[in-house]
């Protein structure tokens, strides 16, 4: 990035937040204005990384510190591309950089041993997020969502998570059956775009 707010500055400010708090919601509330600043940087995502893949959203690691205390990721959503219903098992913020996406929220409900089916993945809400909007996730109760781009334009989201999310074991949930399976969603690039 040329001028403005840099990922180095973000790193220093997130370090300050993490030094004084470990509560997910407190971290999210403190990190939200930092993501707001990042979303306003017009050259945050280099041109070469703004194109979606043909069949799946693209996932680029923008930045992570050596200790992997957090990571900053850009997702490029082609028209009609979608991510299955998933959790994160770590705090995270989702910012709309360009275009719009639809986010559906879910809660996993355990009906108890012997119930058939035992688990239910219930849809709670649906919102359309547009440029500048910020959403968030944190375990255990506010962690499951599905994201899609039902629109005709490319959408770009920028996320901050409390670990390297490209290494994090987490889960995909099936709202039809209540079943879940673990997954690791790796970045499309090995070396972060920014250091
Ligand atoms: Fe997510």
């Amino acid at each position: 990035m040329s001028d403005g707010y840099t990922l180095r500055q973000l790193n220093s400010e997130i370090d300050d937040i993490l030094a004084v708090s470990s509560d997910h919601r407190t971290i999210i509330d403190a990190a939200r204005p930092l993501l707001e600043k990042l979303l306003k940087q017009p050259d945050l995502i280099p041109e070469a990384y703004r194109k979606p893949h043909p069949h799946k959203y693209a996932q680029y690691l923008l930045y992570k510190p050596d200790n992997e205390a957090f990571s900053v990721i850009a997702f490029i959503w082609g028209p009609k591309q979608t991510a299955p219903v998933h959790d994160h098992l770590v705090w995270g913020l989702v910012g709309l950089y360009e275009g719009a996406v639809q986010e559906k929220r879910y809660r996993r409900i355990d009906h108890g041993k012997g119930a058939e089916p035992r688990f239910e993945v219930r849809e709670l809400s649906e919102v359309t997020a547009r440029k500048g909007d910020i959403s968030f996730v944190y375990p255990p109760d506010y962690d499951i969502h599905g994201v899609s781009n039902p629109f005709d334009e490319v959408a770009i989201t920028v996320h901050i998570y409390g670990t390297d999310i490209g290494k994090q074991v987490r889960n995909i949930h099936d709202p039809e059956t209540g079943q879940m399976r673990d997954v690791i969603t790796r970045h499309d690039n090995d070396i972060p775009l920014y250091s």
Side-chain angles (χ1 to χ4, degrees):
M1 283 178 287
S2 48
D3 316 311
Y5 188 58
T6 66
L7 285 152
R8 284 294 182 93
Q9 287 172 287
L10 177 96
N11 191 347
S12 143
E13 293 189 275
I14 290 189
D15 283 349
D16 290 344
I17 294 167
L18 297 179
V20 294
S21 115
S22 57
D23 172 66
H24 293 142
R25 188 55 204 261
T26 307
I27 294 168
I28 287 164
D29 290 345
R32 175 190 281 266
L34 315 185
L35 181 54
E36 271 169 19
K37 287 190 271 184
L38 206 55
L39 294 175
K40 287 179 184 155
Q41 302 307 309
D43 51 359
L44 177 65
I45 319 289
E47 200 55 43
Y49 294 91
R50 289 177 181 239
K51 292 178 190 64
H53 295 326
H55 303 299
K56 189 181 181 295
Y57 62 82
Q59 175 181 334
Y60 297 117
L61 176 61
L62 298 184
Y63 182 87
K64 69 171 176 178
D66 291 340
N67 67 2
E68 300 185 352
F70 71 95
S71 58
V72 184
I73 326 291
F75 288 82
I76 320 297
W77 306 83
K80 317 304 178 206
Q81 288 182 348
T82 184
V85 177
H86 61 273
D87 59 29
H88 311 79
L89 309 180
V90 67
W91 61 265
L93 298 100
V94 180
L96 247 293
Y97 185 75
E98 192 175 289
V101 297
Q102 216 166 56
E103 181 187 28
K104 287 185 181 184
R105 288 275 168 180
Y106 299 83
R107 181 174 299 135
R108 183 172 187 80
I109 297 160
D110 183 351
H111 291 299
K113 249 187 197 156
E116 188 54 50
R118 175 168 175 176
F119 295 101
E120 178 189 347
V121 179
R122 185 181 294 171
E123 187 180 321
L124 303 177
S125 63
E126 177 183 324
V127 294
T128 296
R130 296 191 166 79
K131 191 178 170 77
D133 288 347
I134 292 177
S135 165
F136 54 86
V137 292
Y138 59 91
D141 295 329
Y142 203 71
D143 197 29
I144 304 179
H145 70 175
V147 178
S148 65
N149 175 10
F151 306 108
D152 295 329
E153 310 296 327
V154 169
I156 301 178
T157 53
V158 174
H159 305 217
I160 305 175
Y161 297 103
T163 187
D164 181 352
I165 201 73
K167 295 179 176 176
Q168 172 85 334
V169 180
R170 49 209 183 109
N171 302 289
I172 287 176
H173 300 254
D174 185 344
E176 300 293 318
T177 64
Q179 298 295 306
M180 67 177 188
R181 63 180 173 86
D182 59 19
V183 68
I184 296 174
T185 55
R186 296 181 198 289
H187 309 303
D188 292 330
N189 55 330
D190 293 325
I191 299 167
L193 298 194
Y194 294 97
S195 57

